[in-house]
Amino acid sequence: LLEFYNKGIELYKQRNFTGALAEFRQAQGIDPADGPTNLYVSRCEAYIANPPPADWDGVFVMTTK
């Protein structure tokens, strides 16, 4: 799980959200209930649908409470 998760984080920070999502999905296959993995799956899906601005600093801005 950690191998996939760590690779996903690396790709996420590089703005490669599609690649990161694939890694996080692999991690989900090992432990579907892993909270951090599920969080990043959601964030990758959100950023694939609506990419962050070019000057994105890695911070995820919540739009709902």
Side-chain angles (χ1 to χ4, degrees):
L1 180 126
L2 283 176
E3 179 181 335
F4 295 116
Y5 179 84
N6 288 335
K7 181 65 176 173
I9 290 292
E10 181 181 322
L11 293 169
Y12 179 88
K13 289 178 180 178
Q14 295 171 7
R15 298 176 55 107
N16 181 349
F17 302 115
T18 303
L21 180 60
E23 296 296 325
F24 291 129
R25 293 257 188 235
Q26 290 287 331
Q28 274 184 324
I30 296 168
D31 184 358
D34 183 62
T37 297
N38 293 331
L39 175 71
Y40 277 101
V41 164
S42 297
R43 289 182 178 181
C44 286
E45 290 172 340
Y47 280 144
I48 290 168
N50 296 301
D55 64 346
W56 180 67
D57 61 2
V59 174
F60 183 82
V61 178
M62 295 180 64
T63 57
T64 60
K65 188 172 181 181

